[in-house]
């Protein structure tokens, strides 16, 4: 089912509104879960290929819509929810609307690998060593930047 849901993202409503990022986020952000069977049977390359096909379809769709600007399709593993999430926004990769630190990457493999290997989705374990290279949040807790796969789908170059 996961591969089907990834493909369907390309056909879902799409809003590119540089002046209203909240509308973009609400319209263009998708949560994708997977049953244990999918997690065990799918391979990282299969899921990566599905997202790359979706990005290509979004790229074509954005051109057909006549949108002239920067647009980024991005995917991350939301460990707290045990989901893959993806979105499209009229932003550069270093301007994604996250409230915490993230690392934009052109390599989707590690994001998918972490998701597929998550045998207890939504359960996060912490160890004292987790914050070695982390930033601190307002409460003084370590915040580890998470990887986000980014790819350009707009008509303007980054």
């Amino acid at each position: 089912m996961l591969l089907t849901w990834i493909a369907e993202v390309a056909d879902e409503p799409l809003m590119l509104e540089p002046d209203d990022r909240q509308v973009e986020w609400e319209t263009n952000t998708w949560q994708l879960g997977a049953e244990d069977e999918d997690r065990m049977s799918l391979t990282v390359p299969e899921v990566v290929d599905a997202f790359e096909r979706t990005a290509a379809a979004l790229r074509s769709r954005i051109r057909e819509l006549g949108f002239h600007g920067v647009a980024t399709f991005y995917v991350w593993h939301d460990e707290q929810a045990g989901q893959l999430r993806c979105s499209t926004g009229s932003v550069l990769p270093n301007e994604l609307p996250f409230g915490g630190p993230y690392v934009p990457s052109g390599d989707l493999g590690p994001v998918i690998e972490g998701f597929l290997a998550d045998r207890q989705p939504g359960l996060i374990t912490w160890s004292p060593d987790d914050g070695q290279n982390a930033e601190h949040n307002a409460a003084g807790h370590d915040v580890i930047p998470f990887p986000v796969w980014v790819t350009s789908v707009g008509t303007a170059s980054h």
Side-chain angles (χ1 to χ4, degrees):
M1 285 302 302
L2 179 62
L3 299 181
T4 300
W5 292 333
I6 293 168
E8 289 175 352
V9 167
D11 298 321
E12 293 293 337
L14 179 66
M15 180 71 66
L16 293 173
E17 287 292 332
D19 295 328
D20 195 342
R21 302 291 159 98
Q22 186 63 32
V23 166
E24 281 187 351
W25 178 261
E26 291 170 2
T27 305
N28 302 341
T29 302
W30 301 100
Q31 305 166 4
L32 307 167
E35 298 296 326
D36 288 341
E37 183 178 313
D38 259 359
R39 288 178 192 269
M40 291 186 293
S41 66
L42 291 172
T43 66
V44 171
E46 287 174 314
V47 179
V48 167
D49 287 345
F51 273 115
E52 288 175 345
R53 285 190 305 273
T54 294
L58 286 168
R59 197 173 291 114
S60 295
R61 187 171 166 202
I62 288 168
R63 280 176 174 64
E64 289 170 8
L65 290 172
F67 178 78
H68 300 289
V70 171
T72 302
F73 178 64
Y74 51 105
V75 178
W76 70 102
H77 175 203
D78 183 334
E79 291 184 42
Q80 291 178 324
Q83 301 170 331
L84 281 174
R85 297 198 181 189
C86 61
S87 192
T88 306
S90 58
V91 294
L92 293 169
N94 63 345
E95 299 172 341
L96 302 179
F98 293 113
Y102 65 95
V103 178
S105 172
D107 186 2
L108 181 54
V111 173
I112 301 305
E113 186 176 316
F115 173 74
L116 292 177
D118 189 354
R119 294 294 174 234
Q120 295 180 312
L123 179 66
I124 299 178
T125 58
W126 298 95
S127 73
D129 295 337
D130 281 347
Q132 287 181 347
N133 294 315
E135 296 183 16
H136 293 281
N137 67 12
H141 297 107
D142 290 333
V143 179
I144 300 169
F146 58 96
V148 179
W149 178 66
V150 297
T151 187
S152 175
V153 292
T155 56
S157 62
H158 294 290

